[in-house]
Amino acid sequence: MKLSSLFTLFQWKVPLLAVTTVCLSVLSNSEIATAANNSNIKDIESMSANNQMIAKLSTLDMFEQLQLEKQALRILAMPQVQAQKVEAEKQFRASPLANVPDGESRIELAANRFALAAVENAILNDPARPKIMWVIDEARDWFGVQYPASAWGGKNPDNFSRDTVIDGESRYEITGQRSGSGPAQMTLMLYSAFIGTDAHSVEGAPVIASLVDSDMSFNADGSYTITIGPEPATPGSNHLQSGPNAKFIHIRNAFSDWNTQTPDPLRIRRISGPDAKPLRTDDEIAEFAAGLLKVQVPYWLNFFDKQAQNKTGESNSIDWFIARQGGWGYIATGMFHLQDDEALVVTVNSLNADYLSIQTSDVWSVTGDYIRHNVNLNKSQAKPNNDGSYTYVVAKSDPGVWNWADTVGMHDGGFTLRWQGIKGGKVISHEDAIKDVRLLKIGNLKNNLPAETQWTAPEARKKQLVDRETSYYRRLTN
């Protein structure tokens, strides 16, 4: 029996009828009864030792992940964090972007998501006892834990993001397992600070070192080990050189196909280092989380207002195109401002990138519901033009085009384009990547889009979205 069969049962309240039969050989009678009466297992401790072992071998160490989520919820509710969240809402309201109706209406949502992201950072801040946590994603209701969404800085729906915290004196090992095609790209970014707490950078904080899976060595069975420590990296080694300022590792598994690609299971252990400090109290963790939130919100507001999405002061254009630090890709951003009958038409070259996507977000760079809406489109979700380029239609309501980038009802917000895994090492310019950006009336789309554009009827759109939701739930199976 595949591990994925068991894990299908435990996902975000997915209907059980299709999976109950294949799980019978793994679940006890009492657990089957529980699953039949509830759409998820209500208490992780009720699982048998055998099931716990199976779950541990999947994409995440489920028991560590759930421990961390329960801890995060406890810290999030503490008065220090809640008080700073109120201050964060005030900071959002003081931004010029709050004058936009779609900005003002989503301030509380943004503050909630930023607060939980700060808490996720804070609970991991124990480098002598490192853990890897799945972070920055949509809300989920699983294993009896109702975990809300967390966000900062334009979360990419194609990324399965995980964080861990280290120090510069210790040595660590991350072990992983690549199965099937794996993700389109995996990147590990080692920072000297938590994202959003230091000098402004395209990557959110100063980067000490980075590692991309295209430069890594894998064993014949797909397993691999990444070492982390102060020693210099040598060509072809799976090593991140740390040093005295090393702090935080952000790990991205990027998917270009939700139906076939899965994230690599990862584990971290500390090999050597100074004596561990005493375990922190909840009050200490909450104070640290509140301190992070206090500086992260102004950081991102400044980033949105001046550096990322408002550089030219003009909407409906791409005003920022830059290479990612570490040479693993390029990113472009802009703001949209649309009337009900308007669409922003964006055409880009694929650059033969392993990964290409567009996504929309609100003015705070908080992504909409990307499980049930075409908030983003990657190469497998979009249809190319005959010359290999891609034309996307950004609109608040369905324009009848397959490549619709849904703003989820918003007139104002941001959009982001990403190219990753470009072969050949060529330096890419704005002109190489962007072919055209035009604001059009929806009624004029047919006269202006490429002749080969695929149009879609309501029933086909409905199936597209059902398939999207189904494929999203694969990311915890392996």
Side-chain angles (χ1 to χ4, degrees), residues 184-207:
Q185 185 188 64
M186 179 174 74
T187 58
L188 295 91
M189 306 293 288
L190 173 56
Y191 294 89
S192 63
F194 287 108
I195 291 174
T197 63
D198 206 312
H200 273 245
S201 159
V202 63
E203 301 302 341
V207 175

Side-chain angles (χ1 to χ4, degrees), residues 117-119 121-122 194 196-197 287-298:
V119 168
N121 286 168
F194 287 108
T197 63
E287 289 289 350
F288 188 79
L292 288 176
L293 185 60
K294 183 177 181 178
V295 298
Q296 284 173 331
V297 169

